[in-house]
Amino acid sequence: MGSFRRLLSYIGRYKKFIGLNIVSNILTALFTVVSIPLLQPFFEILFNQTGGVTDPPAGGFSAVNIQAWFKYRYTLLIDTEGKEKALLLVCGAILLAFFFKNLFRYLALVFMAPVRNGVVRDIRQQLFDKMLVLPLPYFSEERKGDLMSRMTGDVQEVEMSILNVLEALFREPLVIAGSLAYMLYQSPSLTLFVFLLIIFTGVVIGGIGRSLKRSSALVQEKLGNLVTIVDEALGGLRIIKGFNAEAYQHAKFGAENNAYRHILTRLLWRRDLSSPLSEFLGIAVVAVLLWYGSSLVFSGKMEPDAFITFIYAFYNVIDPSKQLSKAWYSVQKGIGALHRVEQVLDAETTILEKPDAKPIRSFEREIAFKDVSFAYNKEEGHVLNQIQLNIPKGKAVALVGASGAGKSTMADLLPRFYDVEEGGVFVDGLNIKDYKIKDLRSLMGIVSQEAVLFNDTIYNNIVFGLQGVAMEDVVNAARIANAHEFIMATEKGYETNIGDRGSKLSGGQRQRLTIARAILKNPPILILDEATSALDSESEKLVQAALLELMKNRTSLVIAHRLSTIQHADEIVVMRQGRIIERGNHHALLALNGEYKKLVELQAM
Ligand code: ADP
């Protein structure tokens, strides 16, 4: 139960509230239990059974003769004040007990609320932070939807199923213990008798519960089969129709569909049985209790008022027991959700910083890919093969080649989004794995194919994580990126909110904002991934001009589909299937009359 211990450690941060909650719960339980014997004098008066104890018990007031002592005081009260007044007093006492019971019950909830929501907040924050540090390879293996559902649904489920009932786990045992103590005090034999009955019904009802659990797993499985068939059929409709296989599909689906109906019906029968059965068994227990209890009363072994209070105490055991078992069941359910959350929290961070990682403040000489081979996963084979590439400071190197050649992969290796296993990437002579990750990344500016913007103001999207930036610098960056004019034309200028992922802007405008962001960051190394490929030619010109400004005096690795945009690169590297097949400048490559020339001619058409 490691998960549960972890949950307790979360809860442990709210010791003050938990302490107050426990105290309130103890008081709730206390007043619940106290209300039981308070009922007794009430019945005594009604049944005209009073007046028995006219002498104080020997030894005065003490824990042993507490009841005798109260009976004595009570008789005294009836004698001096009369029955009605005494009755009124008892009613007042009952009222008071219930008032305090409910007051503390409410207070317990009041103290619990910050704990529940605090724990949920902490888990959610931890998940989000973990998401930020998890390496990119993790996200290509885990589905986004699945992660989202863990962040929202499962965290909520933990709150609903575990935190919601945590209180019951504290309180109900206290109530049960108190009521039980009272029952034992009144009549040990009757208590024993009642418990034998309860164990019997518990076994019967529990058996149904277990069989329900088994069947519902089966139901899920059958439903899964059904969905698979539908999914396959939808995907293969063209083939089904082409091969006239409708009848076959009909029969296949029909059989599963029918099996599902069959099992579901049986499940319903069993489930519907549980409530009537448990009510009947419950009543049977009460009937037996009434019969056996009355016989005790008739034979003089028990007072009638004691018997009725006993039944009330019995109710105070049954109800909390039900709550407790419900809570336990709910916790089981919640543990499943907690596990799913934990899988993310405990996921391995594969891209790690060495403990003795070196700082790097500036880029001085060159970037070098030395014998780099890389595979996303072993089974699918290498995506990059023995890449050798030098990018001296101040130069622009362009990667070209068909899609899937491995260009983006190369670009992702540089900021350590993925780690190289064979060969290495070096910056100023040192393997990038030996640098502090933050330092390494702060040397680089990335402008990707898809302009990555957030639902925030233009200003915040440009500044993006930088601290202490003057407005002047932001405007300057926007000017260089050809973005200032359109920004000023928006409703609130730099304070305009650009909507989800910048949906209120055109593609070119979005891209120019990301360029302004890169200009502001002012990194010595640039990684440009097809930054203009998604634009029409008018905005491409603007973006292209902005990019040229950005690339001035920097070292850049540019991935381009439109070859026209990288003609001036210092070196153009042509890639195919993870290998470099040609390299040189534009003219040299054209003269080579090879792959590059073919690509250029293809685009000219
Ligand atoms: P390019 O940028 O030249 O189009 P990529 O570097 O994106 O090529 O892709 C190179 C190869 O790696 C392709 O075969 C692609 O399917 C594969 N690939 C890219 N990203 C991943 C990933 N996250 N997981 C597994 N394979 C990937």
Side-chain angles (χ1 to χ4, degrees):
M1 207 71 138
S3 307
F4 208 70
R5 204 167 306 137
R6 182 187 211 121
L7 199 69
L8 287 183
S9 82
Y10 281 120
I11 293 169
R13 290 180 209 164
Y14 300 89
K15 285 198 185 72
K16 194 179 79 190
F17 285 115
I18 285 289
L20 287 169
N21 171 273
I22 291 178
V23 170
S24 306
N25 268 328
I26 291 177
L27 288 170
T28 309
L30 191 72
F31 280 103
T32 308
V33 176
V34 159
S35 72
I36 302 171
L38 271 180
L39 283 177
Q40 202 172 346
F42 178 79
F43 289 116
E44 270 178 26
I45 297 177
L46 273 188
F47 296 153
N48 248 335
Q49 291 237 332
T50 53
V53 189
T54 45
D55 300 318
F61 179 77
S62 80
V64 196
N65 54 22
I66 198 166
Q67 203 179 16
W69 191 81
F70 267 108
K71 274 197 169 164
Y72 157 70
R73 297 291 309 185
Y74 197 58
T75 317
L76 214 63
L77 187 77
I78 293 171
D79 287 347
T80 50
E81 304 277 346
K83 270 188 184 177
E84 302 214 341
K85 191 97 184 268
L87 203 59
L88 208 64
L89 212 74
V90 173
C91 287
I94 291 173
L95 209 62
L96 216 61
F98 274 88
F99 173 78
F100 280 114
K101 168 191 163 178
N102 283 289
L103 178 71
F104 287 114
R105 198 169 78 165
Y106 174 64
L107 282 179
L109 290 174
V110 166
F111 294 131
M112 200 59 191
V115 181
R116 288 167 58 167
N117 296 321
V119 168
V120 168
R121 177 201 55 192
D122 296 346
I123 296 181
R124 203 177 272 141
Q125 187 71 43
Q126 259 201 342
L127 267 179
F128 189 79
D129 293 347
K130 180 77 186 190
M131 212 171 71
L132 293 181
V133 299
L134 274 173
L136 286 182
Y138 180 82
F139 298 95
S140 49
E141 272 157 42
E142 303 287 329
R143 280 164 301 136
K144 211 161 106 191
D146 180 56
L147 275 176
M148 302 265 253
S149 87
R150 286 175 198 227
M151 266 208 84
T152 51
D154 286 321
V155 173
Q156 211 54 43
E157 177 73 34
V158 170
E159 154 20 305
M160 294 281 289
S161 307
I162 302 184
L163 301 172
N164 197 10
V165 300
L166 215 52
E167 245 221 323
L169 295 183
F170 284 135
R171 185 184 55 218
E172 308 303 3
L174 293 174
V175 176
I176 293 174
S179 309
L180 213 58
Y182 178 81
M183 285 164 72
L184 281 170
Y185 175 75
Q186 282 296 354
S187 166
S189 61
L190 193 56
T191 309
L192 188 71
F193 177 73
V194 161
F195 270 84
L196 288 180
L197 287 179
I198 289 179
I199 287 168
F200 168 71
T201 50
V203 167
V204 173
I205 294 176
I208 295 182
R210 263 192 300 282
S211 105
L212 273 177
K213 224 170 161 181
R214 266 200 308 276
S215 326
S216 74
L218 204 59
V219 165
Q220 289 306 325
E221 191 189 311
K222 288 275 171 210
L223 185 63
N225 290 351
L226 215 57
V227 172
T228 310
I229 296 181
V230 173
D231 187 45
E232 276 177 3
L234 277 178
L237 267 184
R238 183 184 295 270
I239 300 298
I240 295 174
K241 287 179 197 292
F243 282 83
N244 276 332
E246 287 96 337
Y248 170 69
Q249 285 289 325
H250 166 87
K252 199 165 135 192
F253 185 77
E256 275 302 329
N257 199 11
N258 209 23
Y260 182 58
R261 175 202 64 124
H262 185 68
I263 188 166
L264 207 56
T265 307
R266 289 214 320 225
L267 178 74
L268 276 185
W269 279 343
R270 228 170 298 169
R271 189 164 68 194
D272 293 344
L273 180 64
S274 73
S275 168
L277 188 70
S278 69
E279 178 172 328
F280 179 74
L281 286 176
I283 281 297
V285 169
V286 171
V288 175
L289 173 65
L290 284 176
W291 167 78
Y292 183 67
S294 326
S295 74
L296 284 181
V297 171
F298 292 147
S299 62
K301 287 187 188 133
M302 202 177 186
E303 300 287 312
D305 50 279
F307 177 52
I308 291 190
T309 346
F310 183 92
I311 293 179
Y312 177 64
F314 173 63
Y315 165 77
N316 267 328
V317 171
I318 293 302
D319 199 49
S321 305
K322 265 194 197 161
Q323 299 301 334
L324 203 59
S325 77
K326 246 197 219 161
W328 186 241
Y329 181 74
S330 173
V331 165
Q332 299 293 323
K333 215 170 83 181
I335 291 279
L338 190 60
H339 271 316
R340 282 166 50 81
V341 168
E342 285 190 310
Q343 277 170 359
V344 181
L345 288 180
D346 295 341
E348 215 181 323
T349 319
T350 47
I351 299 204
L352 295 171
E353 187 170 277
K354 290 191 179 164
D356 55 346
K358 305 245 176 332
I360 175 168
R361 301 267 169 256
S362 62
F363 172 55
E364 299 299 341
R365 298 194 309 277
E366 68 165 7
I367 299 166
F369 286 76
K370 289 188 188 162
D371 269 330
V372 171
S373 295
F374 178 78
Y376 284 102
N377 41 43
K378 300 258 159 9
E379 305 89 66
E380 285 173 29
H382 281 147
V383 168
L384 292 178
N385 280 302
Q386 298 185 331
I387 299 285
Q388 303 278 2
L389 180 68
N390 283 13
I391 312 175
K393 183 176 177 177
K395 302 284 181 202
V397 171
L399 301 177
V400 302
S403 122
K407 306 181 295 291
S408 307
T409 307
M410 290 263 303
D412 279 350
L413 292 183
L414 195 47
R416 278 191 80 188
F417 290 157
Y418 296 89
D419 264 346
V420 183
E421 277 137 37
E422 294 170 49
V425 181
F426 295 78
V427 169
D428 284 350
L430 196 61
N431 195 316
I432 54 173
K433 289 183 182 173
D434 294 329
Y435 288 120
K436 291 201 155 85
I437 296 180
K438 255 205 158 120
D439 281 6
L440 180 74
R441 289 183 185 161
S442 68
L443 292 181
M444 302 174 189
I446 300 171
V447 179
S448 56
Q449 185 169 11
E450 207 184 324
V452 180
L453 295 171
F454 296 85
N455 190 342
D456 206 334
T457 60
I458 289 180
Y459 176 85
N460 282 336
N461 266 293
I462 296 179
V463 172
F464 201 61
L466 291 181
Q467 311 240 308
V469 187
M471 187 63 198
E472 205 185 316
D473 295 333
V474 177
V475 173
N476 242 334
R479 279 222 167 86
I480 298 172
N482 278 329
H484 182 68
E485 273 172 38
F486 89 78
I487 293 172
M488 290 320 282
T490 59
E491 203 179 327
K492 292 189 210 147
Y494 283 83
E495 290 309 312
T496 308
N497 187 297
I498 56 171
D500 258 356
R501 297 169 198 221
S503 58
K504 295 183 195 162
L505 302 175
S506 79
Q509 290 171 336
R510 284 205 286 271
Q511 200 55 274
R512 277 177 278 158
L513 280 193
T514 63
I515 293 170
R517 178 194 291 162
I519 290 173
L520 188 68
K521 188 183 174 194
N522 194 21
I525 301 170
L526 274 180
I527 299 169
L528 308 179
D529 187 353
E530 319 226 309
T532 59
S533 70
L535 305 177
D536 56 83
S537 52
E538 184 58 29
S539 28
E540 186 188 341
K541 255 185 225 149
L542 284 169
V543 171
Q544 193 59 38
L547 280 176
L548 284 177
E549 273 308 312
L550 175 62
M551 286 164 71
K552 258 188 205 161
N553 307 321
R554 289 181 222 272
T555 312
S556 32
L557 181 65
V558 186
I559 299 172
H561 253 191
R562 302 209 183 168
L563 301 180
S564 56
T565 57
I566 44 101
Q567 281 178 7
H568 305 293
D570 297 292
E571 185 176 24
I572 297 171
V573 171
V574 185
M575 296 185 64
R576 189 167 64 197
Q577 292 177 349
R579 291 179 194 276
I580 296 180
I581 52 168
E582 285 172 17
R583 62 208 314 169
N585 64 24
H586 179 65
H587 297 292
L589 284 175
L590 281 184
L592 203 65
N593 207 3
E595 184 82 10
Y596 182 73
K597 184 143 188 238
K598 264 194 233 154
L599 287 170
V600 171
E601 280 166 359
L602 217 62
Q603 291 211 344
M605 278 163 34

